[in-house]
Amino acid sequence: MIQMKFKTSKELEAHRSAVLKAQDPKRKWISFCVGTGCIASGAEKVAAAMKLELKKNGPKGVQFKETGCPGFCERGPLMVIHPEGIFYQNVKPEHVHDIVSRTLKKGEIIKELLYIDPSSGKQVTNEKDVPFYSKQKRLILGNNPLVDPTNIDDYMAVGGYTALGKVLSEMKPEQVIEEVKKAGLRGRGGAGFPTGVKWETTRNAKGAVKYIVCNADEGDPGAFMNRSVLEGNPHSVLEGMIIGAFAIGANEGFVYCRNEYPLAVKNVTLAVQQLRDVGLLGKNILGSGFNFDMSVVRGAGAFVCGEETALMASIEGKKGVPKQRPPFPSQEGIWGKPTNINNVETWANVPFIINMGAEAYARIGNKTSKGTKIFALVGKIKNTGLVEVPMGTTLKEIIYEIGGGIPNGKKLKAVQCGGPSGGCIAAANIDVPVDYEGLKQYGAIMGSGGMVVMDEDTCMVDVAKYFLKFLLEESCGKCTTCREGIERMLEIVTRMSEGKACLDDIALLEELANVVKDTTMCGLGNTAPNPVLTTLRFFRDEYIAHAKDKKCPAKVCKALISFNIDEKKCTGCGACAKRCPQSAISGENKRPHKIDQKKCIKCGVCESTCKFGAVSRR
Amino acid sequence: MEDMALVRKHELPGAPADIDERVDAILNRYSGERRWLINILFDIQAEFRYLPRDALEYVARRMAIPQVDIYGIATFYKAFSLTPRGKHIITACLGTACHVRGSIGVLEELQRGLNVKPGGTTEDGSFTLETVNCLGCCAQGPMVVVDQEYHGQMTPAKVRTLLEDERKK
Amino acid sequence: MQVRRGIEEVIPTVNMRINDLDVMAEEGQTILEVCKFYGFDIPTLCWDEGLSPYGGCRLCVVEIGEGKNTKLVSSCTYPAQEGLIVRTRSKRVDHARKMVIELLLARCHTSKVLQDLASQYDVEQVRFPLKNDDCILCGLCVRICKEQMMAEAIGFVDRGKDMKITTPFNDKTDTCRRCGACMYICPACQARCQGPDVKDPICNGCLSMSPTCLDFYDDAQCFMSESACGTCVRERKKEEVSKKEV
C-alpha cells in the first residue's frame, strides 16, 4: 500500500516499478469476480469459503484477488487460476476444497468446472481460449479481472496513471484535446457527440470556473456496462476524468452514480479517497500546478436524471426536470458555469487514447465510429453478459459467435438496441454493423449499449407495452406530449393486449407516437415512441393480430391465452395443483389433471412447477 | 426554536420525540448549501427508515428552503419513502432482460403472497415490496433482492418457496 | 450589431428569419418574445408575460431550421440566435398543436380556453377516454404564487402521470395568504359557455368564438338553456367524438 503522496510523475513511476518488481509474473494467484452479477450467483459465499480454505490448507503465498466483472455473467461465479490461466465457471462453495487441494497444490484440472464451448462441444481449459472472450476486443473490460477495485496498486500494475503522468508532465491542454479529436472518440452514452469537440467548446467557454461530470446514472433496463466498469475498475474512469479536467481547465468534478448501484458508489468513493491520499487529487497534482478534486453524488431513483440538464439540476440539489437546450451545458451548466458531461465508458477510453496514441486508437473501429464499445447482451441468449467489440461489428456476429445463439432451440425474433430510447432490429436485419450510424436506417440507435435478445416466445406488443409503462413512470411530467401522450399510447397498447382494441387504434397509436416524438422537449420523451414505432414498422402483423383477431401469436398476453395440461404428458403427480393459488387444478393421483379455465388467473405457477413440460399455452 | 416545537401539529405513528436533535446531527455533517439536500434526505431516510414529515419540515426551516420545494423533491425522487417501510425490503427487478424472462409473473406472485401492491408494506410491518427498473444482474434474471441478498432465476414457483423461507426467519 | 437603450445600456442583437421575413432580435430574447414584437401570432397556454417561461404545454411549438434539419421547439423557451430560421405555422406545427389540444381536452374538457383553442385549430374529436381532471399542469399558478405573490405556497408534487399541484403534504397552510392569484391566472378555471356539467368533450364549436345566438336573440342562449338554440352548431365531419369516461 502507498504511504506517501506522489509529488512528481517520476515518483509515480518509481512506485509502479516497485509494485511490478514485487509481483513475480510466475507467481500463483487467483482472480475471482465479486461484481454485483456474480454476487447474485453466490460469489460472496465462495469467496468466504476460499479464504478460509487457503488459510487452513493452502500452499503458502497464494494471493486471492477479488476483482471486478469480466463480463461472462452467464457462467458466474468465475475463477481464473494464474499463472496458467485455468478458467473455472459456476464455482460453488463445495468446490473450493478440491480447487485448493487438487488444482493449486497438484496442478490437476477439475474437469467438471471447465467451460464447454457449445458450438464445438469441447472443454476449454484456458481463459484465453474461451470463445466468448477471444472473439472480443477487451480493451477496457480486459483489465477488470486483473484488478482488485479497492487497491490502487493493482491499477498501477496494469499501467494505470501512466497516461496521467504523461499528460501532466509533457502535454499542454490544447494538445490533449487535439489527441482526443484525432482519435475520433464519440460519446458512449448514446448521443455519440464528438468528445474532443465538446471538451474544446467547454474549454473555450467564458469564465474561469468550469466543471466536469461523469454520468453514471445508467438507467436503461438491461444495461450494466457502466456498472461493471465503475464497480470493477473505478480508477480507469477517474484517470480519464483528471486528464479531461486538465484539458478543459476544470477544477472540480462530479461522479453522478445511480442509487441502485451501491457497490459502484462504494468503490468509486473509495477510489476518490485513495487518489486524495496519494496526491493525484487535490492541489498541484504531480507538480504540474493543476488543482482538481471531485465528489461522488448519488442518484435518487429517477431515470430522467440520465439526461444532462436533469442531471445537473440534481447535482444542484433540485428536482431532475430537464431544461431547454440551448444554452448547452458546455456554455452554461451547473450553477451557470460551463460543464462537460461524459459517460463512464467515454472517460474510460481516454487513458487508452493517450497511451496508444490517437492514430493507433483510430485504427480500431470504422470510418464513423472509432474504438471499441461494450454491450450488455441479455435476454434470450446463451451467453448473457458484457461484450466488448470494435465498432462496426455486425449484430449477427455478436449474437451468434460471441453470444452463442438462442437457447432451448428457439428462433431469434428481434434484438432491442439502445434501451427505451432505441428500437427493435428484426431478425432478418441482423447483418447490420453496430455503430453510431448503422442502426439508424431501422429507426433504432446503438444507445449506451443495451442489447436485449428476443425469441419467438416474445410478444412485440408486450415489449412496446413494457417500455411505455417504464417511461410513463420515469417521465418528469412537464411536457403535455410526454406525460399525456405516453399514457394514452399505453392505454391503446394495453387494450390491444386485452383484446379490446380495433384496427383504427393502430393508426391512432402511430399518429400519436409521431407527434410525441416530434414535439417533446427532452431525450426521454422524444425517443419514448421509438420502441412503438420500430415494432409497428417491423412487426405490424402482430399488432393486427391483437387488434383485429384478438390473438397473441407469441402466447404472452394473458387475456388472449389459456393454460392447458397435456393429458399425454401429465403424470398426475399433483405438484401443480398443490401450488395453484386459485385451486383451479383438479385430478386424481397418478391420473392426468385438468385446469378449470373459469378459475385460472394465468399466473404461470403451474407451468414453472411442472417437471414434465405438461403445461402449455394456447 | 422552542416555539417551533410547540407548533408541531402532526404526529405520525412512531415519530420520535427527539426527531429534531437527530435531524440536527445529520444537518451538521454538511454545509448549509442546497447541493447537499439529496444527501441529507438519504441520511434521514437511513436514520428513520423513511422521511418523517416533521423531519422534512425541520430541514426546510433550517436550510431556509420553502416547504413545498422540499416536499416536491421528496416526492419526485422514488428512492425516498414518505411512509414507514417494513423491516425487510423485497425488491423485484422489472428490467427488460428480467421482463423477457418472466418477471411480471414473479412480481404478481410476490404481490399475491404478501398481499400488498408495489410500494406497500405488509400489515405487520415486516415486509415492504418494491420494484426497481434494473439492478444490472441481467444474466441471473428474473431477480429478487431481499435486503442485501440477491436471488436469481426466480419463477412464480420459487417465489412461494422464498416467501415461506423468509417468513420462517 | 447593437441597439442602444437608454443612455448607457447597449444590447447586442441577432438576425433571424421568421416566416420568410428578416428580423432583428435582442440577445437573450426568446423566439416567442421576438414573434410577439413583430406581430406573429403564436398560441400559448403555460406562458404569461409577467412570469418566467416553463415550456411544458408544447402549444407554442414552432419549426426551426431548414431542409432536412428541422425540428419543433417551444418558442417560449428557445433563445433567439444568429441565423435562426423560424416558421410559426406549418403542417407539422399545426398537426402537433392539434394533438396537444386533443390530449389536453381529454384530460380536462371543462375549460373555455381549451375549447376556444379547439375551435381555432379545427380539433373536432377527442379520441381518448376522458379523465375529467380539473388541472392541465401548466404551472402558471405555481409561478405566480412564487414570482409575483412571493409566497411559494403551492408547487408540483410527484412526477409523470401522478404529478399534481398542491400544498406541502396536501395540508392546510399559513404560507398561502388566500390571495386568489392562482385562480385568476388558471386557464382551466375558465368555465365553458354551457357551464361545468357538460358531457360533450368538444363544444359546439362557434367558429368566430363569439356567440352567434345574439344575431337572433336578445340574450346569449348558452347560459339560458342547454344549447337548445343551435345557431352555432356546424356540421360535424367525423362520426365519433369521445369514448367512454375513464
Side-chain angles (χ1 to χ4, degrees), chain A residues 33 56 67 72 93 115 169 260 268 306 377 428 452 460 546 584 597:
Chain A
C33 172
K56 275 196 321 189
T67 70
F72 202 4
Y115 171 70
S169 50
E260 293 85 342
V268 80
L377 195 58
V452 184
M460 301 317 280
H546 282 73
Q597 295 300 333

Side-chain angles (χ1 to χ4, degrees), chain A residues 1-133:
Chain A
M1 273 289 159
I2 311 171
Q3 303 298 325
M4 36 47 125
K5 283 191 196 258
F6 299 131
K7 289 198 219 71
T8 63
S9 51
K10 273 209 180 73
E11 283 180 22
L12 180 77
E13 290 308 315
H15 181 82
R16 188 200 314 283
S17 308
V19 167
L20 285 171
K21 216 167 162 202
Q23 275 185 5
D24 177 6
K26 295 202 215 73
R27 78 196 187 290
K28 263 199 172 5
W29 67 282
I30 303 174
S31 158
F32 184 64
C33 172
V34 291
T36 308
C38 281
I39 290 182
S41 296
E44 279 177 328
K45 294 203 181 95
V46 177
M50 179 57 98
K51 281 191 249 191
L52 201 64
E53 186 70 22
L54 283 172
K55 218 167 160 194
K56 275 196 321 189
N57 304 324
K60 275 203 168 56
V62 175
Q63 193 191 13
F64 180 64
K65 212 189 274 282
E66 287 166 280
T67 70
C69 170
F72 202 4
C73 309
E74 186 73 41
R75 302 290 162 160
L78 300 169
M79 190 179 284
V80 182
I81 299 178
H82 295 280
E84 302 91 336
I86 302 170
F87 180 78
Y88 286 153
Q89 47 140 43
N90 289 142
V91 179
K92 296 209 169 46
E94 50 263 33
H95 300 137
V96 159
H97 178 80
D98 276 355
I99 293 175
V100 173
S101 57
R102 289 165 62 189
T103 311
L104 280 182
K105 285 193 171 154
K106 298 189 211 152
E108 214 182 285
I109 311 278
I110 304 173
K111 294 220 158 56
E112 299 79 57
L113 292 176
L114 289 181
Y115 171 70
I116 299 179
D117 180 7
S119 31
S120 67
K122 289 211 192 89
Q123 279 183 331
V124 176
T125 312
N126 245 294
E127 188 190 18
K128 59 175 167 49
D129 296 326
V130 174
F132 179 75
Y133 289 142

Side-chain angles (χ1 to χ4, degrees), chain A residues 397-512:
Chain A
E397 269 179 76
I398 295 174
I399 298 200
Y400 288 102
E401 288 181 46
I402 303 176
I406 319 299
N408 301 326
K410 302 279 183 180
K411 273 201 337 236
L412 172 71
K413 188 167 184 180
V415 184
Q416 213 280 340
C417 293
S421 307
C424 293
I425 308 284
N429 301 322
I430 57 168
D431 273 307
V432 63
V434 186
D435 61 19
Y436 290 106
E437 314 300 327
L439 302 179
K440 284 188 192 166
Q441 59 187 297
Y442 298 115
I445 55 169
M446 184 173 71
S448 61
M451 275 184 186
V452 184
V453 183
M454 301 171 178
D455 66 10
E456 57 198 77
D457 290 339
T458 313
C459 171
M460 301 317 280
V461 175
D462 184 65
V463 168
K465 188 167 88 166
Y466 167 83
F467 280 116
L468 287 172
K469 192 151 178 278
F470 170 78
L471 289 162
L472 184 59
E473 260 183 47
E474 299 293 342
S475 163
C476 80
K478 175 151 87 164
C479 297
T480 307
T481 42
C482 179
R483 183 189 70 239
E484 307 292 328
I486 296 180
E487 185 176 5
R488 301 308 189 165
M489 283 196 279
L490 178 59
E491 266 171 16
I492 297 173
V493 174
T494 305
R495 278 191 292 115
M496 281 186 189
S497 71
E498 292 171 353
K500 296 187 187 148
C502 63
L503 271 183
D504 280 345
D505 284 321
I506 297 182
L508 178 58
L509 178 65
E510 206 161 23
E511 183 189 339
L512 182 53

Side-chain angles (χ1 to χ4, degrees), chain A residues 256 297 305 309-320, chain B residues 38 77:
Chain A
Y256 187 91
V297 180
C305 285
T309 57
L311 193 156
M312 294 193 299
S314 194
I315 290 180
E316 293 177 1
K318 302 194 193 128
K319 277 194 230 180
Chain B
I38 294 176
Y77 290 106

Side-chain angles (χ1 to χ4, degrees), chain A residues 84-355:
Chain A
E84 302 91 336
I86 302 170
F87 180 78
Y88 286 153
Q89 47 140 43
N90 289 142
V91 179
K92 296 209 169 46
E94 50 263 33
H95 300 137
V96 159
H97 178 80
D98 276 355
I99 293 175
V100 173
S101 57
R102 289 165 62 189
T103 311
L104 280 182
K105 285 193 171 154
K106 298 189 211 152
E108 214 182 285
I109 311 278
I110 304 173
K111 294 220 158 56
E112 299 79 57
L113 292 176
L114 289 181
Y115 171 70
I116 299 179
D117 180 7
S119 31
S120 67
K122 289 211 192 89
Q123 279 183 331
V124 176
T125 312
N126 245 294
E127 188 190 18
K128 59 175 167 49
D129 296 326
V130 174
F132 179 75
Y133 289 142
S134 57
K135 299 206 171 154
Q136 300 182 37
K137 188 174 179 70
R138 297 160 59 78
L139 204 61
I140 298 171
L141 286 181
N143 278 334
N144 272 21
L146 301 175
V147 162
D148 171 352
T150 60
N151 185 349
I152 190 175
D153 277 348
D154 275 4
Y155 183 60
M156 295 198 62
V158 297
Y161 295 111
T162 309
L164 180 63
K166 178 172 172 199
V167 162
L168 290 182
S169 50
E170 296 168 26
M171 296 173 81
K172 287 203 173 60
E174 294 84 358
Q175 287 175 294
V176 178
I177 293 181
E178 274 314 302
E179 269 301 275
V180 175
K181 276 167 84 175
K182 237 177 31 186
L185 179 64
R186 288 170 70 171
R188 297 289 195 257
F193 191 83
T195 310
V197 175
K198 203 192 254 191
W199 286 15
E200 193 172 51
T201 314
T202 317
R203 180 178 178 76
N204 293 337
K206 273 189 255 165
V209 177
K210 300 193 166 89
Y211 300 109
I212 62 162
V213 176
C214 171
N215 185 345
D217 192 53
E218 185 175 54
D220 282 3
F224 54 102
M225 304 75 61
N226 293 170
R227 171 181 71 66
S228 289
V229 175
L230 212 54
E231 265 181 12
N233 195 357
H235 283 286
S236 64
V237 178
L238 300 180
E239 184 178 7
M241 286 178 77
I242 307 174
I243 293 173
F246 173 72
I248 291 166
N251 302 109
E252 192 176 347
F254 303 91
V255 177
Y256 187 91
C257 184
R258 65 193 291 245
N259 188 45
E260 293 85 342
Y261 287 168
L263 188 55
V265 171
K266 182 165 153 217
N267 287 352
V268 80
T269 306
L270 185 64
V272 166
Q273 188 51 51
Q274 288 176 340
L275 288 179
R276 289 199 191 112
D277 291 340
V278 302
L280 289 178
L281 276 182
K283 293 205 172 3
N284 194 16
I285 301 176
L286 294 182
S288 64
F290 173 57
N291 307 335
F292 179 67
D293 204 343
M294 54 173 124
S295 43
V296 178
V297 180
R298 262 189 302 175
F303 170 75
V304 70
C305 285
E307 198 275 347
E308 331 192 280
T309 57
L311 193 156
M312 294 193 299
S314 194
I315 290 180
E316 293 177 1
K318 302 194 193 128
K319 277 194 230 180
V321 175
K323 273 188 354 197
Q324 176 71 58
R325 292 176 301 172
F328 291 92
S330 304
Q331 294 143 330
E332 263 178 59
I334 302 176
W335 300 305
K337 311 287 184 221
T339 305
N340 179 86
I341 304 174
N342 277 127
N343 174 270
V344 168
E345 201 179 328
T346 313
W347 289 119
N349 269 281
V350 172
F352 287 101
I353 292 175
I354 302 293
N355 283 330

